[in-house]
Amino acid sequence: MRQKRYILEEKEIPEKWYNIQADMKTKPMPLLNPQTRQPMRAEDLFPVFCEECSRQELNTTDSWIEIPEKVREMYTYYRSTPLVRAYGLEEALDTPAHIYFKNESVSPVGSHKLNSALAQAYYAKEEGLTNVTTETGAGQWGTALSYAARLFGLEAAVYQVKISYEQKPYRRSMMQVFGAQVTPSPSMSTRAGKDILTDCPTHQGSLGTAISEAVELARMTPGCKYTLGSVMSHVSLHQTIIGLEAEKQMEMAGEYPDVVVACFGGGSNFGGITFPFMRHTILEGRKTRYIAAEPASCPKLTKGKFEYDFGDEAGYTPLLPMFTLGHKFKPANIHAGGLRYHGAGVIVSQLLKDGLMEAADIRQLDSFEAGCLFAKAEGIVPAPESCHAIRATIDEALKCRESGEKKVILFNLTGHGMMDMSAYDQYLAGNLINYTI
Ligand SMILES: *Cc1c(COP(=O)(O)O)cnc(C)c1O
């Protein structure tokens, strides 16, 4: 019988994360202090981020970083995640391409976000903190952090983008089940929130605004630090567990990818699945293509500018050298909440500039069409974010059908869509539209 799924034994789960910054020929430009425009050192990040995460953020020398034993132990609760050969999808597309996906949707919270939440909660606890705070869009990151905080005995306060708080009540309940305090953002509980609401009382919220609120809370509360589920370099570091496992699993399948595809919000799952393969491109010149699938309504990689910008709307974060649509950019209310962010992480921004990766813009209706096709073929209803990666994968596989090429395509299935069925409802009812800028 042909093999469908590849799973690693627990003892095969990687013991180190891969830090691509150490191997990059052009290092990312420094983060700048917005007041002085001086490069920030790790210590300068301590007031907001955990100390260990701050050090990891700026580490450009160590290619490999030890995964703490406790974090690795928590990884075994759901890892390795399966690498799956998408025979069903290949047949549906009648393509000679071999399609594989890494199924991160099997994590207890339903997405890849837990890979970094566990690490960040662990380091917060080790540092002697009692509280962590964060923002969340669709709720995946907030849910992951709420669960991870519970495991390590920390209190979590989550600012959830208001439109998602209303559209996705079950993610909110999930965070509350794990014991987190959830506040819709913008809220009157912070200065940043108050300023925005005074300006625009009907503001639907954005990730940028919610970040401002969470950072402000962390700064004002002793024993509390801020955590971020994407964009930052230490987050993609933690996510490399995905690609490192996938590399071993592809080896079990006797294949190596020609194309690696991931959806793109701030870049953490993209970095997570691609960096371990890109290592071979940088060090050995292996010719693999890396495609970031972003929404056409929030196209920072194809239509953004590479410049210093804030990571949040209020301008509380350091200045980051990134591809950005501007920190005041208000993305359309697409259902892929996790992709509604104005900028790209500093590592991926540099990689795009250096031509090591490419980007594809995906329209909302095309993403849901791809998601439904995948669901019928493979039995998994994907998260609206993941549908973008599936669309880009299908487009590549269809090109193979034209050319007859037998390419090996690997994509990351970041999450399942079981909490997003109202989005599918609306798609099926014909109520969704495409947005572009
Ligand atoms: C958050 C999220 C994304 C996008 O975030 P990245 O940091 O770009 O990976 C994609 N898919 C799901 C399911 C998410 O929760």
Side-chain angles (χ1 to χ4, degrees):
M1 204 174 64
R2 63 189 189 180
Q3 190 162 352
K4 174 81 175 160
R5 303 192 316 148
Y6 299 87
I7 313 269
L8 300 174
E9 291 200 35
E10 286 179 12
K11 62 177 191 317
E12 294 287 322
I13 294 174
E15 292 173 6
K16 291 175 178 148
W17 292 302
Y18 173 57
N19 178 22
I20 196 170
Q21 298 197 81
D23 291 336
M24 285 166 73
K25 301 255 151 65
T26 322
K27 305 290 179 207
M29 284 151 67
L31 313 192
L32 299 184
N33 178 318
Q35 273 84 45
T36 63
R37 293 193 79 95
Q38 289 302 306
M40 300 198 69
R41 299 159 305 165
E43 304 87 275
D44 301 325
L45 299 173
F46 290 178
V48 174
F49 293 102
C50 278
E51 296 182 6
E52 185 54 31
C53 293
S54 303
R55 283 189 282 269
Q56 291 174 354
E57 186 65 25
L58 300 180
N59 184 333
T60 54
T61 50
D62 304 311
S63 303
W64 299 99
I65 293 184
E66 191 90 19
I67 304 175
E69 192 52 41
K70 273 226 177 84
V71 174
R72 224 171 142 251
E73 198 179 300
M74 296 319 303
Y75 278 170
T76 63
Y77 280 40
Y78 63 101
R79 309 203 69 87
S80 70
T81 63
L83 176 81
V84 186
R85 172 84 183 264
Y87 290 113
L89 184 61
E90 289 171 19
E91 281 153 27
L93 298 172
D94 190 24
T95 176
H98 291 187
I99 305 175
Y100 291 84
F101 63 93
K102 183 72 169 147
N103 188 1
E104 290 295 307
S105 81
V106 301
S107 102
V109 297
S111 81
H112 69 289
K113 294 282 194 327
L114 193 56
N115 301 330
S116 184
L118 288 170
Q120 295 192 50
Y122 168 81
Y123 291 127
K125 186 67 183 181
E126 283 291 291
E127 195 176 316
L129 303 175
T130 52
N131 293 62
V132 282
T133 180
T134 197
E135 80 296 330
T136 195
Q140 286 108 330
W141 168 245
T143 308
L145 185 75
S146 301
Y147 171 55
R150 188 53 44 214
L151 287 175
F152 289 104
L154 298 160
E155 296 301 322
V158 181
Y159 287 94
Q160 185 171 19
V161 177
K162 192 181 281 168
I163 182 163
S164 304
Y165 185 90
E166 284 157 9
Q167 278 181 350
K168 304 182 190 240
Y170 298 131
R171 283 250 170 66
R172 187 218 316 152
S173 330
M174 230 172 133
M175 291 186 262
Q176 288 164 338
V177 164
F178 292 132
Q181 187 195 55
V182 188
T183 310
S185 166
S187 78
M188 294 299 278
S189 71
T190 62
R191 249 215 39 219
K194 263 187 216 154
D195 285 351
I196 287 160
L197 283 176
T198 312
D199 216 40
C200 174
T202 57
H203 199 294
Q204 288 298 287
S206 71
L207 279 175
T209 305
I211 294 174
S212 304
E213 293 207 86
V215 169
E216 188 178 324
L217 183 75
R219 283 204 174 142
M220 298 302 174
T221 317
C224 175
K225 284 198 183 170
Y226 171 66
T227 64
L228 196 46
S230 182
V231 187
M232 303 299 282
S233 302
H234 64 270
V235 182
S236 35
L237 170 75
H238 304 150
Q239 294 295 354
T240 59
I241 187 82
I242 303 172
L244 293 165
E245 283 182 3
E247 199 184 340
K248 291 189 181 191
Q249 290 163 310
M250 291 293 302
E251 210 175 301
M252 288 164 77
E255 304 222 68
Y256 192 89
D258 298 302
V259 187
V260 186
V261 184
C263 65
F264 196 100
S268 80
N269 93 86
F270 175 82
I273 192 158
T274 61
F275 291 172
F277 293 100
M278 213 181 272
R279 176 170 170 259
H280 301 294
T281 303
I282 296 175
L283 301 180
E284 299 140 35
R286 252 198 126 126
K287 292 206 177 3
T288 306
R289 288 171 61 213
Y290 308 96
I291 303 176
E294 62 179 1
S297 57
C298 197
K300 55 244 163 193
L301 298 174
T302 58
K303 305 220 169 60
K305 280 203 200 104
F306 183 83
E307 62 189 14
Y308 273 102
D309 192 14
F310 290 107
D312 68 320
E313 184 157 349
Y316 287 169
T317 66
L319 284 167
L320 311 169
M322 60 183 186
F323 277 93
T324 175
L325 295 161
H327 64 284
K328 299 284 184 196
F329 180 78
K330 286 195 181 56
N333 290 332
I334 55 165
H335 283 272
L339 308 185
R340 292 176 74 245
Y341 183 71
H342 67 273
V346 304
I347 297 178
V348 277
S349 291
Q350 188 63 49
L351 294 170
L352 181 67
K353 210 162 159 250
D354 293 345
L356 275 152
M357 55 175 278
E358 47 195 292
D361 288 349
I362 309 292
R363 290 177 304 180
Q364 174 157 265
L365 293 178
D366 298 337
S367 72
F368 277 103
E369 185 194 34
C372 291
L373 185 80
F374 178 80
K376 286 178 198 140
E378 296 290 331
I380 302 169
V381 178
E385 292 84 0
S386 315
C387 291
H388 290 70
I390 296 171
R391 177 79 252 172
T393 299
I394 289 176
D395 291 344
E396 287 300 316
L398 290 177
K399 277 188 225 158
C400 290
R401 183 167 74 188
E402 293 306 307
S403 68
E405 281 175 292
K406 231 173 161 178
K407 283 191 184 157
V408 178
I409 308 172
L410 165 67
F411 78 87
N412 196 25
L413 185 75
T414 48
H416 65 65
M418 304 311 275
M419 292 283 185
D420 301 283
M421 292 317 293
S422 68
Y424 278 90
D425 261 359
Q426 294 195 35
Y427 170 70
L428 294 172
N431 293 338
L432 297 190
I433 58 166
N434 285 329
Y435 301 90
T436 45
I437 67 161

mmCIF file of all heavy atoms in Angstrom, residues 386-414:
data_model
loop_
_atom_site.group_PDB
_atom_site.id
_atom_site.type_symbol
_atom_site.label_atom_id
_atom_site.label_comp_id
_atom_site.label_asym_id
_atom_site.label_seq_id
_atom_site.Cartn_x
_atom_site.Cartn_y
_atom_site.Cartn_z
ATOM 1 N N SER A 386 -4.798 29.384 5.892
ATOM 2 C CA SER A 386 -4.132 28.275 5.192
ATOM 3 C C SER A 386 -4.609 28.155 3.749
ATOM 4 O O SER A 386 -3.860 27.698 2.879
ATOM 5 C CB SER A 386 -4.414 26.947 5.914
ATOM 6 O OG SER A 386 -4.252 27.078 7.308
ATOM 7 N N CYS A 387 -5.863 28.549 3.499
ATOM 8 C CA CYS A 387 -6.406 28.478 2.133
ATOM 9 C C CYS A 387 -5.533 29.254 1.149
ATOM 10 O O CYS A 387 -5.488 28.928 -0.038
ATOM 11 C CB CYS A 387 -7.821 29.056 2.090
ATOM 12 S SG CYS A 387 -9.025 28.053 2.959
ATOM 13 N N HIS A 388 -4.845 30.295 1.624
ATOM 14 C CA HIS A 388 -3.976 31.073 0.736
ATOM 15 C C HIS A 388 -2.797 30.223 0.257
ATOM 16 O O HIS A 388 -2.419 30.272 -0.909
ATOM 17 C CB HIS A 388 -3.475 32.339 1.445
ATOM 18 C CG HIS A 388 -4.558 33.348 1.672
ATOM 19 N ND1 HIS A 388 -5.582 33.153 2.579
ATOM 20 C CD2 HIS A 388 -4.796 34.555 1.096
ATOM 21 C CE1 HIS A 388 -6.398 34.198 2.545
ATOM 22 N NE2 HIS A 388 -5.942 35.064 1.657
ATOM 23 N N ALA A 389 -2.232 29.441 1.171
ATOM 24 C CA ALA A 389 -1.113 28.560 0.790
ATOM 25 C C ALA A 389 -1.606 27.477 -0.158
ATOM 26 O O ALA A 389 -0.913 27.097 -1.114
ATOM 27 C CB ALA A 389 -0.487 27.934 2.031
ATOM 28 N N ILE A 390 -2.814 26.988 0.098
ATOM 29 C CA ILE A 390 -3.372 25.939 -0.759
ATOM 30 C C ILE A 390 -3.596 26.483 -2.174
ATOM 31 O O ILE A 390 -3.283 25.831 -3.160
ATOM 32 C CB ILE A 390 -4.677 25.389 -0.147
ATOM 33 C CG1 ILE A 390 -4.368 24.718 1.198
ATOM 34 C CG2 ILE A 390 -5.355 24.421 -1.103
ATOM 35 C CD1 ILE A 390 -5.587 24.329 2.003
ATOM 36 N N ARG A 391 -4.124 27.703 -2.247
ATOM 37 C CA ARG A 391 -4.333 28.325 -3.567
ATOM 38 C C ARG A 391 -3.015 28.411 -4.341
ATOM 39 O O ARG A 391 -2.929 28.030 -5.515
ATOM 40 C CB ARG A 391 -4.920 29.736 -3.384
ATOM 41 C CG ARG A 391 -5.124 30.502 -4.655
ATOM 42 C CD ARG A 391 -6.375 30.049 -5.369
ATOM 43 N NE ARG A 391 -6.113 29.294 -6.573
ATOM 44 C CZ ARG A 391 -7.065 28.665 -7.272
ATOM 45 N NH1 ARG A 391 -8.317 28.693 -6.862
ATOM 46 N NH2 ARG A 391 -6.757 28.012 -8.347
ATOM 47 N N ALA A 392 -1.973 28.921 -3.675
ATOM 48 C CA ALA A 392 -0.677 29.071 -4.355
ATOM 49 C C ALA A 392 -0.116 27.703 -4.749
ATOM 50 O O ALA A 392 0.493 27.553 -5.817
ATOM 51 C CB ALA A 392 0.302 29.823 -3.455
ATOM 52 N N THR A 393 -0.349 26.697 -3.915
ATOM 53 C CA THR A 393 0.105 25.337 -4.226
ATOM 54 C C THR A 393 -0.634 24.793 -5.448
ATOM 55 O O THR A 393 -0.018 24.220 -6.360
ATOM 56 C CB THR A 393 -0.158 24.409 -3.014
ATOM 57 O OG1 THR A 393 0.581 24.913 -1.898
ATOM 58 C CG2 THR A 393 0.264 22.976 -3.302
ATOM 59 N N ILE A 394 -1.951 24.991 -5.456
ATOM 60 C CA ILE A 394 -2.751 24.511 -6.590
ATOM 61 C C ILE A 394 -2.284 25.179 -7.887
ATOM 62 O O ILE A 394 -2.133 24.526 -8.915
ATOM 63 C CB ILE A 394 -4.261 24.773 -6.327
ATOM 64 C CG1 ILE A 394 -4.765 23.829 -5.227
ATOM 65 C CG2 ILE A 394 -5.079 24.620 -7.609
ATOM 66 C CD1 ILE A 394 -6.214 24.056 -4.806
ATOM 67 N N ASP A 395 -2.021 26.481 -7.817
ATOM 68 C CA ASP A 395 -1.564 27.192 -9.021
ATOM 69 C C ASP A 395 -0.251 26.596 -9.538
ATOM 70 O O ASP A 395 -0.070 26.436 -10.748
ATOM 71 C CB ASP A 395 -1.406 28.693 -8.735
ATOM 72 C CG ASP A 395 -2.764 29.371 -8.515
ATOM 73 O OD1 ASP A 395 -3.806 28.761 -8.874
ATOM 74 O OD2 ASP A 395 -2.795 30.500 -7.979
ATOM 75 N N GLU A 396 0.655 26.259 -8.617
ATOM 76 C CA GLU A 396 1.923 25.635 -9.028
ATOM 77 C C GLU A 396 1.674 24.249 -9.618
ATOM 78 O O GLU A 396 2.286 23.862 -10.616
ATOM 79 C CB GLU A 396 2.877 25.516 -7.822
ATOM 80 C CG GLU A 396 3.493 26.832 -7.379
ATOM 81 C CD GLU A 396 4.323 27.507 -8.465
ATOM 82 O OE1 GLU A 396 5.098 26.805 -9.134
ATOM 83 O OE2 GLU A 396 4.180 28.734 -8.661
ATOM 84 N N ALA A 397 0.777 23.493 -8.982
ATOM 85 C CA ALA A 397 0.496 22.125 -9.441
ATOM 86 C C ALA A 397 -0.171 22.142 -10.821
ATOM 87 O O ALA A 397 0.059 21.251 -11.644
ATOM 88 C CB ALA A 397 -0.388 21.406 -8.425
ATOM 89 N N LEU A 398 -0.989 23.174 -11.068
ATOM 90 C CA LEU A 398 -1.645 23.275 -12.377
ATOM 91 C C LEU A 398 -0.628 23.631 -13.465
ATOM 92 O O LEU A 398 -0.727 23.160 -14.600
ATOM 93 C CB LEU A 398 -2.788 24.300 -12.337
ATOM 94 C CG LEU A 398 -4.014 23.866 -11.500
ATOM 95 C CD1 LEU A 398 -5.054 24.975 -11.453
ATOM 96 C CD2 LEU A 398 -4.628 22.565 -12.022
ATOM 97 N N LYS A 399 0.373 24.439 -13.087
ATOM 98 C CA LYS A 399 1.447 24.729 -14.050
ATOM 99 C C LYS A 399 2.171 23.443 -14.419
ATOM 100 O O LYS A 399 2.575 23.253 -15.568
ATOM 101 C CB LYS A 399 2.444 25.728 -13.446
ATOM 102 C CG LYS A 399 2.004 27.178 -13.564
ATOM 103 C CD LYS A 399 3.141 28.106 -13.113
ATOM 104 C CE LYS A 399 2.638 29.200 -12.213
ATOM 105 N NZ LYS A 399 3.685 29.780 -11.354
ATOM 106 N N CYS A 400 2.335 22.556 -13.435
ATOM 107 C CA CYS A 400 2.984 21.256 -13.699
ATOM 108 C C CYS A 400 2.133 20.421 -14.651
ATOM 109 O O CYS A 400 2.655 19.671 -15.471
ATOM 110 C CB CYS A 400 3.212 20.487 -12.404
ATOM 111 S SG CYS A 400 4.483 21.197 -11.348
ATOM 112 N N ARG A 401 0.807 20.553 -14.512
ATOM 113 C CA ARG A 401 -0.062 19.808 -15.420
ATOM 114 C C ARG A 401 0.161 20.271 -16.870
ATOM 115 O O ARG A 401 0.230 19.464 -17.790
ATOM 116 C CB ARG A 401 -1.533 19.995 -15.037
ATOM 117 C CG ARG A 401 -2.471 19.172 -15.921
ATOM 118 C CD ARG A 401 -3.866 19.106 -15.377
ATOM 119 N NE ARG A 401 -4.582 20.373 -15.565
ATOM 120 C CZ ARG A 401 -5.779 20.627 -15.037
ATOM 121 N NH1 ARG A 401 -6.372 19.725 -14.263
ATOM 122 N NH2 ARG A 401 -6.369 21.776 -15.251
ATOM 123 N N GLU A 402 0.313 21.602 -17.016
ATOM 124 C CA GLU A 402 0.582 22.160 -18.354
ATOM 125 C C GLU A 402 1.920 21.670 -18.904
ATOM 126 O O GLU A 402 2.032 21.254 -20.049
ATOM 127 C CB GLU A 402 0.622 23.699 -18.297
ATOM 128 C CG GLU A 402 -0.715 24.361 -17.983
ATOM 129 C CD GLU A 402 -1.815 23.932 -18.923
ATOM 130 O OE1 GLU A 402 -1.598 24.037 -20.143
ATOM 131 O OE2 GLU A 402 -2.877 23.467 -18.436
ATOM 132 N N SER A 403 2.945 21.746 -18.050
ATOM 133 C CA SER A 403 4.314 21.485 -18.532
ATOM 134 C C SER A 403 4.698 20.011 -18.441
ATOM 135 O O SER A 403 5.710 19.606 -19.006
ATOM 136 C CB SER A 403 5.303 22.313 -17.704
ATOM 137 O OG SER A 403 5.313 21.815 -16.374
ATOM 138 N N GLY A 404 3.901 19.244 -17.693
ATOM 139 C CA GLY A 404 4.236 17.836 -17.503
ATOM 140 C C GLY A 404 5.332 17.595 -16.474
ATOM 141 O O GLY A 404 5.785 16.473 -16.283
ATOM 142 N N GLU A 405 5.759 18.666 -15.795
ATOM 143 C CA GLU A 405 6.832 18.514 -14.803
ATOM 144 C C GLU A 405 6.322 17.830 -13.535
ATOM 145 O O GLU A 405 5.221 18.107 -13.061
ATOM 146 C CB GLU A 405 7.385 19.889 -14.419
ATOM 147 C CG GLU A 405 8.339 20.467 -15.429
ATOM 148 C CD GLU A 405 8.740 21.883 -15.040
ATOM 149 O OE1 GLU A 405 7.861 22.775 -15.093
ATOM 150 O OE2 GLU A 405 9.894 22.079 -14.668
ATOM 151 N N LYS A 406 7.214 16.994 -12.944
ATOM 152 C CA LYS A 406 6.833 16.224 -11.763
ATOM 153 C C LYS A 406 7.424 16.890 -10.523
ATOM 154 O O LYS A 406 8.213 16.274 -9.799
ATOM 155 C CB LYS A 406 7.451 14.828 -11.915
ATOM 156 C CG LYS A 406 6.474 13.694 -11.710
ATOM 157 C CD LYS A 406 7.192 12.424 -12.069
ATOM 158 C CE LYS A 406 6.589 11.171 -11.545
ATOM 159 N NZ LYS A 406 7.354 10.005 -12.010
ATOM 160 N N LYS A 407 7.120 18.157 -10.336
ATOM 161 C CA LYS A 407 7.742 18.865 -9.208
ATOM 162 C C LYS A 407 7.235 18.354 -7.876
ATOM 163 O O LYS A 407 6.091 17.885 -7.770
ATOM 164 C CB LYS A 407 7.434 20.353 -9.320
ATOM 165 C CG LYS A 407 8.277 21.051 -10.344
ATOM 166 C CD LYS A 407 8.137 22.554 -10.229
ATOM 167 C CE LYS A 407 8.923 23.220 -11.336
ATOM 168 N NZ LYS A 407 8.431 24.553 -11.635
ATOM 169 N N VAL A 408 8.071 18.492 -6.852
ATOM 170 C CA VAL A 408 7.664 18.157 -5.493
ATOM 171 C C VAL A 408 7.330 19.464 -4.776
ATOM 172 O O VAL A 408 8.180 20.355 -4.661
ATOM 173 C CB VAL A 408 8.785 17.404 -4.741
ATOM 174 C CG1 VAL A 408 8.361 17.107 -3.308
ATOM 175 C CG2 VAL A 408 9.145 16.122 -5.481
ATOM 176 N N ILE A 409 6.075 19.582 -4.360
ATOM 177 C CA ILE A 409 5.616 20.819 -3.720
ATOM 178 C C ILE A 409 5.244 20.509 -2.268
ATOM 179 O O ILE A 409 4.500 19.563 -2.001
ATOM 180 C CB ILE A 409 4.378 21.404 -4.443
ATOM 181 C CG1 ILE A 409 4.655 21.540 -5.952
ATOM 182 C CG2 ILE A 409 3.978 22.749 -3.844
ATOM 183 C CD1 ILE A 409 3.433 21.934 -6.767
ATOM 184 N N LEU A 410 5.780 21.292 -1.363
ATOM 185 C CA LEU A 410 5.460 21.128 0.060
ATOM 186 C C LEU A 410 4.793 22.402 0.536
ATOM 187 O O LEU A 410 5.290 23.498 0.285
ATOM 188 C CB LEU A 410 6.760 20.896 0.867
ATOM 189 C CG LEU A 410 6.682 21.042 2.384
ATOM 190 C CD1 LEU A 410 5.809 19.942 3.005
ATOM 191 C CD2 LEU A 410 8.089 21.007 3.004
ATOM 192 N N PHE A 411 3.638 22.258 1.210
ATOM 193 C CA PHE A 411 3.055 23.475 1.799
ATOM 194 C C PHE A 411 2.696 23.244 3.261
ATOM 195 O O PHE A 411 2.592 22.110 3.718
ATOM 196 C CB PHE A 411 1.856 23.979 0.983
ATOM 197 C CG PHE A 411 0.552 23.234 1.193
ATOM 198 C CD1 PHE A 411 -0.333 23.591 2.209
ATOM 199 C CD2 PHE A 411 0.200 22.175 0.367
ATOM 200 C CE1 PHE A 411 -1.537 22.911 2.385
ATOM 201 C CE2 PHE A 411 -1.002 21.497 0.539
ATOM 202 C CZ PHE A 411 -1.863 21.861 1.560
ATOM 203 N N ASN A 412 2.553 24.357 3.964
ATOM 204 C CA ASN A 412 2.232 24.268 5.386
ATOM 205 C C ASN A 412 0.738 24.481 5.599
ATOM 206 O O ASN A 412 0.200 25.525 5.223
ATOM 207 C CB ASN A 412 3.032 25.342 6.153
ATOM 208 C CG ASN A 412 3.049 25.075 7.641
ATOM 209 O OD1 ASN A 412 2.892 23.931 8.074
ATOM 210 N ND2 ASN A 412 3.257 26.113 8.429
ATOM 211 N N LEU A 413 0.091 23.476 6.170
ATOM 212 C CA LEU A 413 -1.314 23.632 6.558
ATOM 213 C C LEU A 413 -1.300 24.174 7.987
ATOM 214 O O LEU A 413 -1.166 23.423 8.942
ATOM 215 C CB LEU A 413 -2.051 22.288 6.489
ATOM 216 C CG LEU A 413 -3.548 22.400 6.771
ATOM 217 C CD1 LEU A 413 -4.279 22.989 5.582
ATOM 218 C CD2 LEU A 413 -4.151 21.049 7.132
ATOM 219 N N THR A 414 -1.433 25.507 8.106
ATOM 220 C CA THR A 414 -1.196 26.137 9.415
ATOM 221 C C THR A 414 -2.289 25.853 10.434
ATOM 222 O O THR A 414 -2.037 25.875 11.630
ATOM 223 C CB THR A 414 -1.067 27.666 9.280
ATOM 224 O OG1 THR A 414 -2.167 28.147 8.480
ATOM 225 C CG2 THR A 414 0.237 28.046 8.641
#
